[in-house]
Amino acid sequence: MRRTSIGIERYIDKYILLYIGILGVISCVFIYSSTEVFAQYSGSFVTKQMIFYFIGFTFMMGIAFLKMEHLKKIDWYFYALIVLLLVGLIFAPESIAKPVNEAKAWYQIKWLGSFQPSEFLKVAFVLVVAKLIESHHEKIDNQTFLSDCLLLGKIAAVTIPPILLVYQQPDTGMIMLYAALLIPMLYFSAISKKILISFALIPVTLLIAIIIAYFQFPHFYSEQLVGQLSPHQISRINGWLHPFEHEDSAYQTRQGILAIGSGEVTGKGVLGNNVYVPEKHTDFIFATVAEELGFIGGALVILLYFLLIYRFLLTIVRANSTFAYAAGAGIIGLFAFQICQNIGMTMGLLPVTGVTLPFLSYGGSSLLSNFMLIGIMLAFIKIEYEEVSSS
């Protein structure tokens, strides 16, 4: 009995909870600061963010206490629900699903704002793909080229259709997050590295071809390649590559760089931000942090994220099941990419994609889905200590 109680105390990773709690305080402070200084922001964003944090924390702890078999039982039901919600967006009237920035990706919910199903597709992919990888290897005794291709086919069958639904919204930023989640899961799925390299050569070759076209064949690049994208996507690409030639497209990026640079080393102090940046309380909240706390504050936030991911890595290193290993790899890849992409775009190093900064940006769907992913990680820690206690 004593050993079991010690296990329960240990598997609730206090460091993970501590880091998320600190990020939550930072989030509320700088959401308030971002929206209080500029009059065009109206609404109780901080109150809603605290409500989202409370709901998300409840979800996280509820998932953390699930057993492995429970996680595996809910995967397909949750996946089916999210896919149905994505399909529903296509047919939903604008009174229920109003387009925002030319993207029809949200259901409007009274009092709490909007609900974005594509955010929760991340959670569905983690559970379903990890289950597919585990069940496939349990059924296949001898791994062959055909068996690896079969596994890839299974994963493609469950991921490509909903990804296409998200693409038509359109939401390319979210698709990048799916790729950041799925690629590590594939890499650690025991599929032959030769097969994975062969498939990876396709996008790498396309990327090299696009870079060559950009420098050597600018007319072909602008007319035949970029010209096939939506106006919104073209605007973001031009604003990233030519920020001073396309001032309207690059306005958000240039203002973000100005806000971060004006913070210098120690910042202007809380509520001292005076550089207007569109979406400063959501996608560009790091600009507010760096402007008010300077380089030191921005570096401390990045350190917090590093420590959080480090705790995730410790969890996966100790994992003793294929399901936990694959799911954990996907979650780590997702968070690492999302953090780098968001901070990079606020500095002008990467294109603006609408990707939020985990646990800092305002947004209920993003916050709740991230809490659910943390809950899955905590569940793996719990399962590990339960097995140690019972052995």
Side-chain angles (χ1 to χ4, degrees):
M1 185 69 180
R2 181 181 178 184
R3 291 175 63 189
T4 303
S5 63
I6 293 174
I8 291 174
E9 182 181 348
R10 291 184 64 189
Y11 71 60
I12 299 298
D13 193 317
K14 295 180 178 62
Y15 290 102
I16 291 178
L17 299 184
L18 174 63
Y19 301 148
I20 292 176
I22 296 174
L23 289 172
V25 173
I26 296 173
S27 173
C28 291
V29 169
F30 289 99
I31 287 174
Y32 175 79
S33 181
S34 300
T35 56
E36 184 70 15
V37 172
F38 297 98
Q40 61 265 44
Y41 292 115
S42 60
S44 52
F45 293 103
V46 176
T47 302
K48 290 181 180 179
Q49 186 77 344
M50 289 190 292
I51 293 173
F52 294 143
Y53 250 92
F54 176 77
I55 297 173
F57 186 85
T58 303
F59 280 9
M60 178 186 71
M61 296 307 297
I63 295 172
F65 281 89
L66 292 177
K67 295 182 179 295
M68 184 76 78
E69 56 267 25
H70 295 152
L71 287 172
K72 295 176 183 179
K73 284 180 180 179
I74 65 174
D75 52 2
W76 286 108
Y77 295 106
F78 187 73
Y79 170 86
L81 173 63
I82 300 303
V83 172
L84 286 174
L85 289 172
L86 289 172
V87 173
L89 284 171
I90 300 175
F91 305 100
E94 290 192 5
S95 59
I96 300 175
K98 183 180 179 180
V100 178
N101 294 330
E102 301 179 10
K104 192 177 181 182
W106 296 268
Y107 288 101
Q108 306 303 320
I109 300 176
K110 195 173 182 180
W111 305 116
L112 289 179
S114 57
F115 170 77
Q116 187 176 4
S118 57
E119 283 283 355
F120 296 90
L121 188 59
K122 300 181 299 187
V123 183
F125 278 164
V126 165
L127 295 175
V128 170
V129 174
K131 176 70 175 297
L132 282 175
I133 292 172
E134 182 184 61
S135 60
H136 176 83
H137 287 298
E138 288 176 350
K139 295 176 182 178
I140 303 297
D141 295 327
N142 298 316
Q143 183 178 350
T144 63
F145 174 80
L146 290 177
S147 68
D148 285 347
C149 289
L150 177 61
L151 177 56
L152 280 175
K154 292 177 182 178
I155 295 173
V158 300
T159 57
I160 292 178
I163 286 177
L164 292 176
L165 290 174
V166 175
Y167 180 76
Q168 65 83 34
Q169 291 178 353
D171 191 346
T172 52
M174 193 61 65
I175 293 174
M176 293 170 63
L177 294 185
Y178 299 151
L181 184 152
L182 293 171
I183 290 173
M185 297 184 77
L186 289 173
Y187 183 82
F188 291 103
S189 65
I191 293 176
S192 170
K193 298 303 181 286
K194 293 181 180 179
I195 296 177
L196 293 178
I197 292 173
S198 299
F199 278 99
L201 286 175
I202 298 174
V204 170
T205 302
L206 289 174
L207 179 61
I208 293 174
I210 291 172
I211 294 174
I212 294 174
Y214 174 76
F215 288 103
Q216 299 297 325
F217 308 99
H219 180 74
F220 175 81
Y221 168 83
S222 59
E223 296 295 331
Q224 302 299 321
L225 296 180
V226 177
Q228 303 303 313
L229 302 175
S230 68
H232 182 65
Q233 292 169 329
I234 294 174
S235 174
R236 286 190 168 182
I237 291 175
N238 288 333
W240 170 50
L241 295 176
H242 310 286
F244 297 102
E245 297 177 19
H246 300 268
E247 294 187 1
D248 291 340
S249 302
Y251 178 74
Q252 189 179 30
T253 300
R254 288 188 291 107
Q255 291 300 105
I257 295 172
L258 178 60
I260 293 172
S262 66
E264 299 184 344
V265 178
T266 57
K268 304 172 182 176
V270 177
L271 291 176
N273 75 94
N274 54 16
V275 178
Y276 171 70
V277 183
E279 307 299 333
K280 203 173 186 180
H281 61 305
T282 56
D283 302 347
F284 273 68
I285 195 169
F286 186 78
T288 305
V289 175
E291 183 180 1
E292 297 189 356
L293 299 183
F295 173 81
I296 295 175
L300 288 175
V301 168
I302 294 173
L303 177 61
L304 274 174
Y305 282 123
F306 175 82
L307 293 173
L308 185 63
I309 292 177
Y310 173 70
R311 299 304 301 182
F312 294 163
L313 286 170
L314 291 181
T315 301
I316 298 308
V317 167
R318 298 192 295 258
N320 56 3
S321 77
T322 303
F323 180 85
Y325 200 62
I331 293 172
I332 291 171
L334 170 67
F335 279 119
F337 174 82
Q338 189 169 354
I339 293 164
C340 292
Q341 168 62 32
N342 179 276
I343 295 177
M345 76 182 189
T346 62
M347 296 179 176
L349 301 176
L350 296 172
V352 177
T353 58
V355 171
T356 58
L357 189 57
F359 302 106
L360 252 66
S361 295
Y362 171 80
S365 297
S366 174
L367 189 59
L368 295 181
S369 64
N370 288 335
F371 265 116
M372 293 173 72
L373 293 172
I374 300 294
I376 293 173
M377 295 295 293
L378 292 178
F380 294 153
I381 301 173
K382 176 183 76 70
I383 292 166
E384 172 202 346
Y385 279 107
E386 281 181 343
E387 292 175 349
V388 170
S389 298
S390 61
S391 61

